[in-house]
């Protein structure tokens, strides 16, 4: 996990997301361990680090604007994490829009990035 502390608002949001899901996890907490594994890898993915993260329940989302309420205009995919693995979902999110189910968080992130290639904001 690489956050050098010199970044701006996006880095602060990534640090905050990591802080929310950081161990120790409570007994019976089925979402936090998987989200923690996912976020540790996501923070090192340059495409994702260029965006703002936000989490909802057991899902990782990203936003170009930093306003999670603006999700209808941003068609980025999301990843749901659970004890059995990870599901990459196309927008609009939901298991009916599942693109990949895997036990490998790195594979789920790679899939998410591939799906985002034509949706990323310009420089």
């Amino acid at each position: 996990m690489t956050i050098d502390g010199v970044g701006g608002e996006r880095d602060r949001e990534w640090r905050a997301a990591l802080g929310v899901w950081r161990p120790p996890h409570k007994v019976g907490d089925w979402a936090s361990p998987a989200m923690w594994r996912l976020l540790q890898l996501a923070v090192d993915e340059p495409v994702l680090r260029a965006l703002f993260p936000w989490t909802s329940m057991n899902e990782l989302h990203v936003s170009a604007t930093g306003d999670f309420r603006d999700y209808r205009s941003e068609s980025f995919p999301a990843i749901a994490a659970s004890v059995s693995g990870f599901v990459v979902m196309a927008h609009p999110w939901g298991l009916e829009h599942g693109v990949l189910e895997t036990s490998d968080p790195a594979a789920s992130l790679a899939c998410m990035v591939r799906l985002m290639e034509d949706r990323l904001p310009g420089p």
Side-chain angles (χ1 to χ4, degrees):
M1 156 177 44
T2 308
I3 296 183
D4 57 17
V6 297
E9 190 176 351
R10 285 185 295 269
D11 278 349
R12 283 191 297 278
E13 292 297 321
W14 279 103
R15 273 195 293 286
L18 285 164
V20 167
W21 298 97
R22 182 177 321 279
H25 302 125
K26 295 178 182 171
V27 175
D29 181 352
W30 58 269
S32 293
M35 284 295 291
W36 175 245
R37 288 176 45 215
L38 183 66
L39 286 167
Q40 284 181 295
L41 296 172
V43 76
D44 285 331
E45 172 53 59
V47 169
L48 299 179
R49 280 291 295 281
L51 300 166
F52 292 92
W54 59 279
T55 59
S56 174
M57 295 290 290
N58 63 320
E59 297 176 2
L60 170 63
H61 301 266
V62 293
S63 168
T65 65
D67 183 357
F68 71 89
R69 291 172 294 279
D70 196 27
Y71 67 88
R72 286 185 180 96
S73 66
E74 296 182 335
S75 58
F76 295 129
I79 300 175
S82 72
V83 293
S84 60
F86 305 88
V87 177
V88 180
M89 302 170 292
H91 191 271
W93 315 294
L95 294 180
E96 66 276 7
H97 295 116
V99 175
L100 174 71
E101 290 186 43
T102 180
S103 60
D104 182 1
S108 66
L109 289 166
C111 179
M112 183 180 193
V113 169
R114 278 193 310 274
L115 291 171
M116 293 171 59
E117 287 176 344
D118 62 339
R119 294 179 175 89
L120 292 173

